[in-house]
């Protein structure tokens, strides 16, 4: 589909910017200009990581302010053939394990050496399953350029003694660099074949850097809207994975579309409420961007979290998520189950469990404390959805 509005400069819901897609290179040449060009490294090469590298690489070929080459750090593994994944990517220009059948672009270079992959880059794109991010950042301390800027495409968070720590904060704090985020209704396999999608770019304050990131990602089939709300955008991307698990349970129990729509609505409501309780700066308008309502919808319809949770419920919770993930995703990783646990820790530490019955119930089902059917059961012993209406109204609704 070729969207009619691809050339327009659109305001985001909060008045932020949307870059037009790239229009080609300008006349820049010479060694000095080469030194000034931005160099991009993608840290991660899973399903979305590979698609992100492809998107970016198509743009660095066209934009004179970027080096053409895009380096992609590969967590090295040996394929059943005995070959190394990074060698195969460089030979075939395909990530045969995580994105088979899609050419990444000849200017994508797979690099299994993390330090080598990042050392020259001033634009670092982080896109690995969230559970690996702390270890990766620790390995990168002192190894990156001082003028580097980062963006996180990672949907997830860490929980520390002090409370939740978003992945963008983890990157900023451990590496001492600014970090923006890009989230949205972005099922990677659909973007890989260039079906139209939107995405939301969340940034703190530097508009010039924001525009550069938006330019790097925007294509006619990938329309990026920028909003000045890093926490809101990142919490949307993170929390929707818990809602997707709930939607999968509903599908596994064959409860139908109305129930699933109810789960999405309640889930979105809990997402907004928790985000605003954690960060008072979070904007309501963010939940109407791609990262909010649109990502809830796409993930609850077609995501991996939904799919594996459906199988979990179909099996009556008798096969573990770890087992189903390994069997069904073949190396790709779920984020929703661990995020449900992390959210539960935050809620329980703050005494908010009863305010968030959907989030709480998802974790209790994942850990087999409750059966999958509890996702819509009401009882006096358990928190129920009606609590949400009263309690949260008082806390965050105007
Ligand atoms: N796949 C999708 O459709 C989308 C994914 N995301 C988010 O992007 C992030 C990354 O997801 P994907 O790229 O899909 O990854 P994936 O789910 O395909 O994960 C597998 C990746 O993890 C790597 N890995 C395995 N063990 C590792 C270790 N010990 N240390 C470091 N890396 C290791 C694998 O080599 C592989 O690159 C996640 O937070 C996900 O929620 C966001 C939008 C869409
Ligand atoms: O985040 C996603 C789509 O926006 C992908 O979700 P899953 O990880 O559930 O596939």
């Amino acid at each position: 589909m070729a969207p009619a509005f691809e050339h327009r400069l659109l305001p985001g819901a909060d008045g932020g910017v949307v870059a037009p897609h790239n229009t080609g290179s300008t006349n820049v040449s010479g060694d000095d200009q080469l030194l000034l060009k931005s160099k991009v490294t993608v840290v991660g090469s899973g399903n979305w990581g590979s698609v992100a590298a492809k998107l970016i690489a198509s743009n660095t070929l066209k934009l004179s302010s970027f080096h053409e080459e895009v380096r992609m750090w590969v967590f090295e593994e040996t394929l059943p053939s005995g070959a190394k994944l990074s060698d195969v990517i460089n030979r075939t220009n395909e990530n045969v394990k995580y994105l088979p059948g899609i050419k990444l672009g000849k200017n994508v270079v797979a690099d299994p050496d993390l330090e080598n992959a990042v050392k020259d880059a001033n634009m670092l794109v982080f896109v690995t399953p969230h559970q690996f991010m702390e270890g990766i950042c620790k390995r990168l301390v002192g190894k990156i350029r001082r003028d580097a800027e980062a963006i996180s495409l990672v949907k997830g968070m860490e929980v520390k003694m002090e409370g939740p720590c978003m992945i963008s904060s983890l990157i900023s704090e451990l590496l001492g660099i600014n970090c923006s985020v890009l989230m949205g209704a972005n099922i990677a396999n659909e973007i890989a074949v260039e079906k139209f999608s939107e995405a939301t770019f969340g940034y703190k304050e530097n508009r010039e850097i924001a525009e550069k990131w938006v330019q790097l990602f925007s294509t006619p089939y990938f329309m990026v809207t920028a909003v000045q709300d890093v926490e809101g955008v990142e919490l949307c991307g993170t929390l929707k994975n818990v809602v997707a698990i709930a939607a999968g349970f509903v599908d596994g129990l064959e409860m139908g579309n109305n129930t699933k729509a109810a789960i999405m609505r309640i889930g979105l409501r809990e997402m907004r409420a928790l985000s605003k309780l954690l960060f008072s700066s979070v904007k309501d308008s963010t939940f109407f961007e791609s990262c909010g309502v649109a990502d809830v919808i796409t993930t609850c319809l077609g995501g991996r979290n939904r799919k594996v949770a459906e199988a979990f419920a179909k099996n009556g919770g008798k096969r573990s998520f770890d087992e189903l993930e390994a069997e069904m995703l073949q190396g790709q990783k779920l984020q929703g189950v661990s995020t449900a646990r992390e959210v539960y820790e935050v809620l329980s530490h703050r005494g908010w469990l009863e305010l968030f019955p959907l989030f709480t119930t998802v974790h209790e089902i994942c850990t087999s404390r409750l059966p999958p059917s509890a996702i819509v059961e009401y009882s006096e012993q358990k928190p129920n959805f009606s609590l949400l209406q009263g309690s949260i109204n008082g806390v965050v609704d105007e």
Side-chain angles (χ1 to χ4, degrees), residues 45-49 75 98 129 132 155 186 188 304 332-333 335:
S45 55
N47 187 234
W48 182 217
F75 177 75
Y98 295 102
F132 305 130
K155 292 177 174 171
N186 297 148
R304 300 168 297 185
Q332 294 185 35
K333 301 285 179 199
Q335 304 283 260

Side-chain angles (χ1 to χ4, degrees), residues 155 184-187 240-241 295 298-299 303-305:
K155 292 177 174 171
N186 297 148
I187 290 183
K240 68 86 193 170
N241 281 331
D295 202 5
T298 204
T299 318
R304 300 168 297 185
N305 285 288

